Each structure stands twice: as C-alpha cells, then as structure tokens.
Amino acid sequence: MRKQIAAANWKMNLSFQQADQLLNSVVDAGIATKENQQVIFAVPFLYLSIANQLIGTVKNFNAASQNCYQKKEGAFTGEISAAMLHSMNISYCLVGHSERREYFNESNEILSEKIDRCLENDLTPIFCCGESLTIRAADQQKTFVETQLRDSLFHLSKEQITNLVIAYEPIWAIGTGKTATTIQVQEMHAHIRSVISNQYGTDTGDKISILYGGSVKASNAKELFNCDDVDGGLVGGASLQAEEFIQIIKALKC
Ligand code: 13P
C-alpha cells in the first residue's frame, strides 16, 4: 500500500512557545501510527530544529521545510538551501505551494530546479499543484495541473520521481472553508496518477502518494481520505489546533 500521510503546513503562524506547545500536545496524544503511515510537520525554518527534537523519537513523525532555494549555495542573502536542510536531518520539503507561486513568483521552471536540489540532498519533495477558481470555472483544471506536473517533474528519471509526494491543492479551497467535493477530489487525483502513469508506467504511478489540501478538517478528513486515489492530506488552518490535527491523523487509511 502507498504511504498514507497527514502533513501539517503551519505557514507563517505560531510563536515559538505556541509551536512548542502544539508539538508537545500532538506527541503526548501517543498516536500509534501504522507502518505505512507518516505524520509530517512543515514548520517555519526557525522551528525546524526544535520540531526535530520534539518529534524525533516518535515513530513515523517527521519535520519538513516549507520551502528551499533553487540554487546550491552562495550569495543569496536570507535564503536556505536544500543541503542545509539535509545537514539538519530534515527529510521532507514543500515545493511549489500556491502561495509561493503567487506571492513569490515561483514558476514551473524555478520549481523544477527546487525539485532537483531536494532530490540531490535526499529530501523528499512534496510537490504542490492545483488550479484557481477561474481555471476551474473554465473547466481547464485537468490540462492546467498536467502542465504543472509536466513542466516541473517530467525531466526526472523513473527512479527519481518515485521519491516524491504530490499534493493537489485547488486554490479556491485553500483557507476558504470551501472543501472540494469527494467527486472533484477523486477525479483530479485519478487524473494526476494517470498523467504520471502515462509518462512513467503504471507501476510508478501506483507508487506515488497523492495528498489532498484545501480546508481539510477533522470533520471531513475521513471522507476525503477514503477516496481511492487520496493518500492523506496537506492541512493548513486545522493543523494549528492539536485536537483537530490529531483527529486528522487518525482519519488516515490503514
Ligand atoms: P487550509 O487547510 O487552511 O485550507 O490550507 C491548505 C493548505 O494550503 C495547505 O498547504
């Protein structure tokens, strides 16, 4: 079975004290994850070290970066490289979140470089894709997402692409409380899997975990995660509350 993943994306939220408390609360819940389940906390860079300390001993819990820079090293003041993350024992990195694409002008080409930097440094990229409301209204979402995948991922070898997680996050469902329906989610996830399978073979397509993101909460997680091609979720707002996120972890398929 594919890896089932509950990933928290804290974005730019929480003080250090709140972060510490939240991580402790989730750890103290003593959730027994199954072999194929993974819990990931994408925290601000500043908190990666403490996150690793607090969750390091919990089985199947990992800290993740929310971003990395596309260059290897050098005079890029304020940026963080994939090699630095690797040197701090970080094993996952979000790449191409829609907020990065929109506010920081990250193009599909820049994201393909970030994917390369991650893979060179043994970081598993969680590659985010998804369409705006305008694209959905024009019924162009499938070709739009396919282009995002093609432009940023299709230079990878078959072996490389299996070391990657995809997160489908329709922009119109992020932070809006408006979750995509299970029919919309399953349809897009199956499409993403078929795009990968057509390029790399079904064996590869079948191996890649595809997460759904966009207003996932404790009350809708189980229904969303139960869709055939949904392998968990990337959670924003609801991951900032321990009890909500604990319930979301518990909603993962076994
Ligand atoms: P929300 O769960 O707050 O809608 O955010 C989703 C998201 O952007 C996760 O990366």
Side-chain angles (χ1 to χ4, degrees):
M1 195 196 206
R2 287 185 290 269
K3 216 171 245 186
Q4 304 295 304
I5 302 172
N9 176 10
W10 287 0
K11 309 189 181 185
M12 196 176 74
N13 290 298
L14 304 178
S15 68
F16 178 72
Q17 290 74 15
Q18 289 169 326
D20 182 79
Q21 197 174 27
L22 176 52
L23 288 169
N24 273 309
S25 301
V26 180
V27 170
D28 289 348
I31 307 165
T33 49
K34 304 278 181 326
E35 211 47 61
N36 66 319
Q37 295 176 331
Q38 199 80 39
V39 179
I40 295 173
F41 295 87
V43 305
F45 287 129
L46 275 174
Y47 305 161
L48 281 169
S49 187
I50 182 80
N52 248 359
Q53 272 177 44
L54 291 177
I55 63 176
T57 53
V58 185
K59 194 172 144 237
N60 298 328
F61 276 37
N62 276 286
S65 164
Q66 295 175 11
N67 184 32
C68 69
Y69 197 53
Q70 63 267 29
K71 302 292 180 200
K72 289 185 182 180
E73 62 180 357
F76 303 105
T77 302
E79 292 299 329
I80 305 281
S81 71
M84 290 173 185
L85 295 168
H86 175 66
S87 73
M88 289 187 62
N89 293 319
I90 302 301
S91 44
Y92 287 90
C93 179
L94 302 188
V95 174
H97 191 281
S98 61
E99 288 147 19
R100 301 283 328 163
R101 293 174 187 264
E102 184 179 352
Y103 306 134
F104 302 95
N105 300 319
E106 294 190 357
S107 63
N108 291 344
E109 291 67 33
I110 287 176
L111 298 176
S112 85
E113 290 183 61
K114 292 194 182 208
I115 294 281
D116 289 345
R117 296 297 86 74
C118 285
L119 293 173
E120 285 161 11
N121 289 285
D122 290 331
L123 287 170
T124 301
I126 302 178
F127 179 74
C128 307
C129 56
E131 81 287 354
S132 66
L133 193 55
T134 318
I135 290 167
R136 170 71 57 171
D139 200 24
Q140 293 298 309
Q141 64 275 11
K142 284 192 179 170
T143 25
F144 182 82
V145 168
E146 182 164 347
T147 304
Q148 289 183 319
L149 298 170
R150 195 170 285 283
D151 289 358
S152 298
L153 304 182
F154 278 15
H155 63 289
L156 299 175
S157 69
K158 196 174 156 88
E159 198 200 344
Q160 284 175 316
I161 202 160
T162 49
N163 293 321
L164 184 130
V165 173
I166 294 174
Y168 168 59
E169 300 203 302
I171 297 169
W172 46 272
I174 296 179
T176 57
K178 194 172 175 232
T179 320
T181 65
T182 47
I183 293 172
Q184 289 171 322
V185 172
Q186 171 54 31
E187 193 180 32
M188 182 57 90
H189 281 228
H191 174 64
I192 292 171
R193 203 175 298 291
S194 78
V195 168
I196 303 284
S197 294
N198 287 342
Q199 182 73 12
Y200 291 97
T202 330
D203 56 332
T204 304
D206 283 347
K207 275 188 203 142
I208 295 184
S209 298
I210 308 177
L211 317 184
Y212 167 76
S215 299
V216 175
K217 25 189 193 280
S219 58
N220 61 19
K222 201 155 193 85
E223 193 186 2
L224 288 161
F225 297 172
N226 273 344
C227 296
D228 284 351
D229 285 293
V230 176
D231 305 304
L234 180 55
V235 188
S239 74
L240 300 173
Q241 292 158 18
E243 198 43 45
E244 277 282 308
F245 193 57
I246 289 165
Q247 293 311 319
I248 291 169
I249 299 170
K250 290 181 175 170
L252 288 173
K253 277 189 212 116
C254 292

